[in-house]
Amino acid sequence: MAKKIYLASPHMSDEGYEMEYIKEAFDTNWISPLGKNITEFENEMVAQVGSKAAAALTTGTGAIHLALRSVGVGQGDVVFCPSLTFSATANPIIYQNGTPVFIDSDYETWNMCPKALEKAFIKYPKVKAVIVVHLYGLSADMDKIVGICNKHNVPLIEDAAESLGTYYKGKHTGTFGNYGVFSFNGNKIITTSGGGMLVSDNEEKIAKVRFWATQSRDSARHYQHSELGFNYRMSNVVAGIGRGQLKVLEQRVEKKKYIFDFYKRELGGLEGIRFMPSNEWNEPNYWLSCITVSGDVKPLDIMEALEKENIESRPIWKPLHMQPFFQEYDFIGEGVSEELFENGVCLPSDTKMSDVDLQRICYIIKGLWK
Ligand SMILES: *Cc1c(COP(=O)(O)O)cnc(C)c1O
């Protein structure tokens, strides 16, 4: 069997930074959701993205959940959310008994379409919050999205789970809205095995999120609770992995861009292939290299040809308004996300790939056009 190539797999630093921080946690016996690595990881994320405060949590999904709580989403509240995203963006709306309304993408960004968002505001003027996603490390058109949210005075949460290292006009994604969410799950650009971070410029709100995330314990000797609590705090061991990974984020972005450029050079000339959109204002982290195809070669042909050679790839996210679980909820749009789903492929984007691996992948794909 040929060597397995992954879509995106964990890539620890060559220098072993992660192990040093883990060892420190072991040596000091801080093996809990408390300790220096957590505080320092939060500080380092704040410095990395340029927000004022951060709370380290067990998952990105948990970070979205607590952001929604923080803006007061409750029973029956409408939340706008892109349709073209991972289900983890929308599930926390349901945890809060809210009502998602799905918004279409545009071709310019693949992300939330500002025109569809405007339309949604006309239909649902009482919306409680907006979640925008920066898919595959491409930034949404934040000037327009922020402008619309400000005009209607509605809080904005950025799901930047896939966009650590992505900038919009020089400012880090996740710092435009009231809250930004990052994920360190196994296939993200950096990983802690599992983890999340909620960032904001509102330090008080972040302090409150830390309180909720550690079971909402009031300051009393006995266990006293005046609010619903959650067990969402990141552990000190996991935070150590994060600190080590953050040191190589820039290297990872560089390699991801190299992979994208490689594909573009090798495959760009094939009839009907289009690469995910580039914009002047967008500095993506190129988390995944994605294409759409139109013509005789279908996405499934590409995925199957790669699979035969032990190479992973996958479709673009299936829009949430097409998912059985979310079918009852409204969708505002004109079929862009459906079209991207039907024609899209995420190509292998593992940062451990060599040029030989990349050549092999391109050779297989080009073979389909002959
Ligand atoms: C990965 C991901 C999440 C969830 O993050 P977890 O840390 O896995 O909970 C949310 N939204 C998007 C767009 C993601 O890709």
Side-chain angles (χ1 to χ4, degrees):
M1 197 62 163
K3 182 187 141 200
K4 170 109 183 169
I5 298 178
Y6 292 95
L7 183 77
S9 71
H11 190 170
M12 294 298 117
S13 68
D14 296 331
E15 295 83 355
Y17 298 130
E18 298 85 355
M19 281 310 276
E20 282 172 35
Y21 291 119
I22 292 173
K23 189 170 181 309
E24 196 182 307
F26 274 66
D27 289 348
T28 55
N29 202 36
W30 286 109
I31 317 289
S32 70
L34 209 74
K36 184 178 158 199
N37 281 338
I38 297 173
T39 315
E40 288 304 314
F41 189 29
E42 288 175 347
N43 292 340
E44 286 156 10
M45 275 295 287
V46 159
Q48 181 71 38
V49 306
S51 68
K52 288 216 176 88
L57 303 170
T58 46
T59 62
T61 310
I64 297 170
H65 187 188
L66 294 187
L68 289 169
R69 271 190 88 77
S70 200
V71 302
V73 170
Q75 185 69 44
D77 286 333
V78 169
V79 178
F80 296 154
C81 165
S83 186
L84 192 69
T85 184
F86 183 38
S87 63
T89 308
N91 282 334
I93 303 170
I94 310 293
Y95 302 165
Q96 285 299 106
N97 299 312
T99 304
V101 169
F102 296 115
I103 314 290
D104 207 359
S105 296
D106 60 24
Y107 289 114
E108 290 72 38
T109 65
W110 284 18
N111 287 304
M112 186 180 262
C113 170
K115 283 192 196 114
L117 180 63
E118 282 277 28
K119 266 193 209 156
F121 267 105
I122 294 166
K123 192 162 176 191
Y124 300 95
K126 283 193 181 149
V127 56
K128 192 80 178 186
V130 175
I131 305 178
V132 66
V133 180
H134 306 291
L135 215 59
Y136 302 124
L138 303 170
S139 128
D141 191 351
M142 293 314 285
D143 281 348
K144 287 191 188 140
I145 305 274
V146 169
I148 295 167
C149 290
N150 285 346
K151 189 174 88 188
H152 295 276
N153 204 16
V154 168
L156 176 63
I157 297 164
E158 287 177 82
D159 178 349
E162 301 178 1
S163 73
L164 182 59
T166 295
Y167 294 81
Y168 174 85
K169 298 188 178 171
K171 189 171 154 69
H172 203 290
T173 51
T175 62
F176 290 84
N178 303 65
Y179 294 95
V181 170
F182 295 95
S183 165
F184 311 106
N185 208 334
N187 64 5
K188 299 285 150 73
I189 191 153
I190 62 169
T191 180
T192 61
S193 71
M197 190 77 71
L198 186 66
V199 305
S200 175
D201 281 343
N202 191 326
E203 291 167 71
E204 266 171 51
K205 294 270 194 185
I206 289 293
K208 186 73 189 233
V209 162
R210 287 197 199 101
F211 169 80
W212 285 334
T214 46
Q215 309 282 24
S216 296
R217 283 178 60 186
D218 295 342
S219 52
R221 187 181 296 275
H222 52 278
Y223 277 67
Q224 169 138 326
H225 307 276
S226 328
E227 284 186 63
L228 178 63
F230 299 83
N231 189 2
Y232 277 180
R233 195 74 163 125
M234 183 179 276
S235 95
N236 197 49
V237 177
V238 160
I241 308 176
R243 292 183 74 190
Q245 283 274 280
L246 212 44
K247 284 195 160 67
V248 293
L249 173 61
E250 224 167 283
Q251 277 177 47
R252 296 290 175 267
V253 174
E254 237 169 74
K255 181 64 189 268
K256 293 277 193 189
K257 182 168 185 344
Y258 177 84
I259 293 167
F260 181 79
D261 290 341
F262 197 105
Y263 284 135
K264 214 166 179 179
R265 205 167 50 239
E266 290 292 319
L267 307 175
L270 296 174
E271 180 88 31
I273 277 205
R274 287 178 67 185
F275 280 78
M276 59 191 196
S278 308
N279 288 295
E280 233 170 72
W281 37 258
N282 194 1
E283 289 168 68
N285 68 4
Y286 299 95
W287 175 52
L288 295 183
S289 286
C290 306
I291 56 169
T292 57
V293 290
S294 58
D296 293 341
V297 178
K298 304 292 174 208
L300 191 61
D301 300 327
I302 297 174
M303 289 185 277
E304 283 180 347
L306 292 174
E307 196 173 300
K308 264 192 214 135
E309 298 295 326
N310 210 16
I311 300 169
E312 264 185 5
S313 61
R314 73 175 178 207
I316 300 287
W317 297 123
K318 180 173 178 177
L320 297 183
H321 75 277
M322 298 168 73
Q323 299 284 358
F325 180 70
F326 289 113
Q327 238 159 23
E328 66 188 276
Y329 301 105
D330 201 1
F331 168 69
I332 314 278
E334 283 162 8
V336 176
S337 54
E338 279 112 318
E339 211 262 336
L340 290 172
F341 166 61
E342 273 155 28
N343 299 323
V345 184
C346 305
L347 298 175
S349 306
D350 195 86
T351 47
K352 290 207 190 93
M353 287 190 295
S354 65
D355 281 10
V356 173
D357 295 331
L358 283 163
Q359 283 295 359
R360 206 178 121 214
I361 294 162
C362 293
Y363 179 81
I364 294 164
I365 295 174
K366 281 189 221 167
L368 296 166
W369 262 260
K370 289 194 177 116

